[in-house]
Amino acid sequence: MARFQDQLDPESAVVREIERLGESPTRAQIIATAAGYFRSRPPLKPLWVVPLEAVASDADIANSDKAINRLLTERSGVFQLGDKIPWFDAPANFYTLSRFPHFDYMMRTYTTTQEERYAKAMVRDLLDFVENVPLSKSEGYHVQVPSNKNPWNWVLLQWRVKRWIDVLAHLRESPSLSDENYLRILQHSWAEVDWLVPNKILGLHNGTLGNVSTILYASLQYPEARSAQFWQNDATALLEGFLDMAFYPREFLIELTLGYSEGTLLMCRMMYETLPDSPAKDRITPKLETIFDAHIGICLLYTSDAADEEDSV
């Protein structure tokens, strides 16, 4: 628990609740108080991956039933895993294993059915990762390492953290997730965000923005983390700088297509809309509006030109 307490902002409400326990609280008291604080509240922001009100389809439930036995369904196929999950050596075509893609349908299924067997399976897989993929092993796992062998590949890490934030919200009332394991998973998530901050810059615009959005999401959902304000400031500064430098001339991404630019702009808008009011948000507002206006204007011009060409055929 000492490591988790070290990750808390000393001025946060959860720390004040722990301090009310007196000078020598037991480990069990600290765990119950800290976990109770986080588990007693709904998410501070709408969930980004699987909303709490999401409803499972018949396919979601069928896939979740398979996932209980580690038969995981993913876009590239269906994969049977053994008792030991191969985080560092997933099947060649299962490049998203460390992204926890099966949690999307399992969260919807659990929330819809409230059957604890789905919660138990998710907790099992979360703890397997926490126990077998410590950040101490991340050295040497750079972007070029194949993603099925690299749990810290940027696509995997950014989506893993987002999904873990969401799954803790979906399971916050589940008896299958003990208070101690709730805090273990939360602590691991925060440590991964701390790792991501200095490793967030990539050659791909959407990769960098995806990493930044994860850092921002963590800061907004868990302002009690010691690093939360730093995470938020870091993400906000990069978003503002990106809008200043990546668009030319404030229209579309340099050397990229309009379609790619649109996807990147939508990522910027999602982050912007979640930012709390601040001088930085005030500075970002006109920049983003200008880029959107220019982008839409170019798209309309392109559409008009294409229509004229079609009419002339």
Side-chain angles (χ1 to χ4, degrees):
M1 275 308 299
R3 287 179 58 198
F4 181 76
Q5 288 179 265
D6 286 343
Q7 288 183 290
L8 292 171
D9 179 349
E11 301 300 321
S12 63
V14 62
V15 168
R16 290 195 294 273
E17 290 196 13
I18 293 172
E19 289 173 344
R20 293 192 189 101
L21 296 173
E23 291 186 5
S24 303
T26 65
R27 184 174 184 275
Q29 287 177 311
I30 295 173
I31 289 173
T33 299
Y37 171 89
F38 288 110
R39 300 182 79 161
S40 65
R41 71 176 192 203
L44 300 183
K45 296 287 183 178
L47 300 184
W48 283 5
V49 183
V50 180
L52 289 175
E53 62 274 12
V55 177
S57 65
D58 290 341
D60 286 335
I61 295 173
N63 289 334
S64 296
D65 288 337
K66 297 174 186 176
I68 289 175
N69 297 313
R70 287 185 169 156
L71 181 62
L72 305 187
T73 303
E74 196 264 349
R75 288 179 300 175
S76 55
V78 180
F79 303 89
Q80 180 65 68
L81 305 181
D83 292 336
K84 185 175 176 59
I85 300 180
W87 302 114
F88 292 96
D89 192 21
N93 292 329
F94 196 3
Y95 56 89
T96 63
L97 173 60
S98 294
R99 194 160 81 175
F100 287 73
H102 58 301
F103 273 20
D104 288 8
Y105 50 80
M106 293 196 80
M107 279 188 269
R108 291 192 292 267
T109 297
Y110 174 70
T111 300
T112 300
T113 67
Q114 289 297 295
E115 293 186 24
E116 285 302 313
R117 58 198 182 104
Y118 302 116
K120 289 178 181 177
M122 287 188 280
V123 171
R124 174 200 66 195
D125 292 351
L126 286 163
L127 293 179
D128 191 286
F129 191 92
V130 170
E131 292 166 3
N132 293 294
V133 193
L135 278 166
S136 59
K137 292 184 178 181
S138 65
E139 186 175 353
Y141 281 87
H142 52 79
V143 159
Q144 304 304 324
V145 176
S147 58
N148 65 313
K149 299 180 183 295
N150 178 11
W152 296 282
N153 173 277
W154 64 272
V155 175
L156 306 184
L157 174 57
Q158 62 167 276
W159 279 105
R160 177 170 65 249
V161 172
K162 289 171 183 169
R163 281 189 172 97
W164 283 26
I165 290 172
D166 284 15
V167 78
L168 286 178
H170 281 268
L171 299 183
R172 66 190 180 93
E173 297 181 1
S174 170
S176 300
L177 178 60
S178 69
D179 284 347
E180 182 169 3
N181 285 334
Y182 179 98
L183 296 180
R184 286 181 69 196
I185 294 163
L186 184 58
Q187 176 181 313
H188 192 92
S189 297
W190 290 359
E192 290 212 299
V193 177
D194 280 333
W195 183 92
L196 183 59
V197 169
N199 293 286
K200 64 182 175 292
I201 303 296
L202 299 169
L204 295 171
H205 293 104
N206 62 348
T208 297
L209 284 175
N211 289 340
V212 170
S213 69
T214 296
I215 295 165
L216 177 62
Y217 190 42
S219 76
L220 297 173
Q221 294 290 13
Y222 293 107
E224 299 86 0
R226 181 183 291 270
S227 301
Q229 191 59 57
F230 174 73
W231 295 340
Q232 185 174 314
N233 292 343
D234 183 77
T236 304
L238 194 142
L239 174 60
E240 183 175 7
F242 183 84
L243 295 175
D244 285 335
M245 296 184 292
F247 289 86
Y248 177 81
R250 290 200 169 190
E251 294 170 348
F252 54 90
L253 285 175
I254 299 171
E255 298 178 356
L256 294 174
T257 66
L258 284 174
Y260 191 104
S261 296
E262 180 178 346
T264 305
L265 262 179
L266 292 176
M267 292 176 68
C268 293
R269 187 184 72 177
M270 179 185 69
M271 287 185 279
Y272 166 80
E273 290 175 346
T274 61
L275 286 174
D277 292 337
S278 67
K281 187 171 186 177
D282 291 340
R283 293 194 302 272
I284 290 171
T285 300
K287 298 176 183 180
L288 195 57
E289 288 177 346
T290 299
I291 294 170
F292 262 99
D293 286 345
H295 181 86
I296 291 171
I298 291 175
C299 289
L300 291 174
L301 179 63
Y302 176 81
T303 302
S304 176
D305 289 344
D308 290 342
E309 290 181 9
E310 185 175 333
D311 290 342
S312 64
V313 173

